Amino acid sequence: MSKIKPSKGSPYARIMGVGGYRPTRVVPNEVILETIDSSDEWIRSRSGIETRHWANDEETVAAMSIEASGKAIADAGISAEQIGGVIVSTVSHFKQTPAVATEIADKLGTNKAAAFDISAGCAGFGYGLTLAKGMIVEGSAEYVLVIGVERLSDLTDLEDRATAFLFGDGAGAVVVGPSKEPAIGPTVWGSEGDKSETIKQTVPWTDYRSGEVAKFPAITQEGQAVFRWAVFEMAKVAKEALDVAGITADDLDVFIPHQANERIIDSMVKTLKLPESVTVARDVRTTGNTSAASIPLAMERLLATGEAKSGDTALVIGFGAGLVYAATVVTLP
């Protein structure tokens, strides 16, 4: 018989507060067209993107995260000292070690919170949310900060017609805390590594360091293959997330998919047969694809504009490089 005492965590967890940060520089499609042969109409029709935000030298991964986190902590009505864990999802922090989460935890003023980074691409926020929920239910932390942050402008090849217009920068954060009732559903997540070549970094850092390639590594993708996978396979994952949460599309108030491409969003809405009453996040139009940051940024904007309200039931799903995915149903803070 085990001598280990049972955990004293909360029976459930919930999102308590949300915050976002978008860089000050707004980049319209006209700027992108300076380096690729395309048109504003083509970019909008293919992606829905009109503008995106690009960070300046001061708007680092850490700096943007701290701004977004401060808003989320204030929104949750707690202090930084109460944060017991900081989880950062990013693919664009260029220091291999230490984790940027440790710097963020310190500068926010947490009391030596557990802090670590994860790399799960555009599904990273869902991965982090699931880990935070587990920490709270298990009892290793009372409040956990989950951050999705990217400076994808650093990994964008402005001469690549397939991707130059897609990516933006920003940070989104949520505080996850204890709950007396279910407010974060079971997560449906996974990976399809056999398709990992469809979204990838062009070359390893070591090839650039050794001089084998002169061009700085960037993100590239096979657009049509990614589109088909996202539209057909991720709709199935979204439906499964509804099923395991014990609800149907008719019970939803809000749909917050990864802001990859508006055509993908429209196709998922159609496949899921979402009622017209469901508010659909379309932050991609003015923020672009911010990978791990896209879901919390979209959530923050919907709440700030009043398009969504506290207590709404929302389906969130992220999907991207790996290919990885994560979907769950949450109650909005």
Side-chain angles (χ1 to χ4, degrees):
M1 185 175 180
S2 175
K3 297 180 180 179
I4 300 174
K5 294 181 179 179
S7 300
K8 295 182 179 180
S10 169
Y12 306 107
R14 66 187 178 101
I15 299 175
M16 299 180 59
V18 59
Y21 180 82
R22 293 171 174 80
T24 55
R25 183 187 177 192
V26 177
V27 180
N29 288 338
E30 285 72 21
V31 172
I32 307 299
L33 296 175
E34 294 173 4
T35 52
I36 62 171
D37 181 17
S38 188
S39 68
D40 177 62
E41 190 278 330
W42 186 88
I43 292 173
R44 293 185 188 224
S45 66
R46 299 287 293 182
S47 67
I49 298 172
E50 303 167 6
T51 61
R52 73 284 292 147
H53 295 254
W54 283 355
N56 60 33
D57 290 344
E58 287 73 40
E59 291 167 322
T60 63
V61 165
M64 291 191 294
S65 297
I66 290 166
E67 288 290 332
S69 298
K71 295 175 183 177
I73 292 169
D75 191 42
I78 65 169
S79 66
E81 291 86 351
Q82 293 175 274
I83 298 290
V86 177
I87 303 171
V88 177
S89 178
T90 185
V91 298
S92 49
H93 175 59
F94 291 153
K95 286 186 179 179
Q96 192 69 39
T97 192
V100 71
T102 59
E103 176 186 350
I104 295 166
D106 175 64
K107 290 186 176 178
L108 284 173
T110 69
N111 185 20
K112 300 181 180 179
F116 56 95
D117 298 350
I118 60 174
S119 176
C122 306
F125 175 75
Y127 274 51
L129 188 64
T130 304
L131 295 173
K133 174 185 172 183
M135 291 166 70
I136 290 158
V137 173
E138 187 271 339
S140 59
E142 186 175 12
Y143 301 101
V144 179
L145 184 65
V146 180
I147 304 165
V149 57
E150 302 292 3
R151 273 183 54 121
L152 293 181
S153 57
D154 293 332
L155 285 168
T156 298
D157 180 355
L158 294 177
E159 297 178 347
D160 181 357
R161 189 173 184 271
T163 61
F165 59 91
L166 287 176
F167 303 120
D169 303 336
V174 299
V175 171
V176 182
S179 176
K180 295 180 180 179
E181 59 184 14
I184 301 175
T187 301
V188 177
W189 56 354
S191 65
E192 297 185 30
D194 61 313
K195 300 179 181 67
S196 61
E197 291 295 301
T198 56
I199 307 175
K200 64 179 182 178
Q201 185 172 305
T202 49
V203 295
W205 298 114
T206 48
D207 287 1
Y208 181 73
R209 181 185 64 184
S210 66
E212 291 183 41
V213 293
K215 201 168 189 177
F216 193 76
I219 297 173
T220 186
Q221 69 175 29
E222 298 173 14
Q224 286 302 314
V226 172
F227 181 86
R228 288 192 298 270
W229 176 78
V231 168
F232 296 108
E233 298 303 320
M234 291 306 97
K236 297 176 187 176
V237 171
K239 177 63 169 59
E240 188 176 348
L242 293 175
D243 291 342
V244 297
I247 67 171
T248 69
D250 292 334
D251 297 312
L252 280 179
D253 300 304
V254 184
F255 179 44
I256 311 177
H258 165 48
Q259 302 293 291
N261 179 309
E262 194 166 34
R263 289 173 62 209
I264 292 175
I265 294 171
D266 289 340
S267 295
M268 291 183 72
V269 168
K270 183 177 180 180
T271 303
L272 289 169
K273 298 179 180 178
L274 297 184
E276 291 186 7
S277 59
V278 174
T279 297
V280 180
R282 299 184 185 278
D283 194 43
V284 66
R285 293 173 178 171
T286 55
T287 305
N289 180 344
T290 55
S291 188
S294 79
I295 290 175
L297 277 174
M299 183 183 295
E300 184 259 355
R301 172 161 283 173
L302 289 176
L303 289 166
T305 60
E307 295 173 81
K309 62 184 185 300
S310 175
D312 278 353
T313 299
L315 170 63
V316 299
I317 178 169
F319 45 86
L323 293 168
V324 295
Y325 55 87
T328 188
V329 175
V330 303
T331 300
L332 295 183

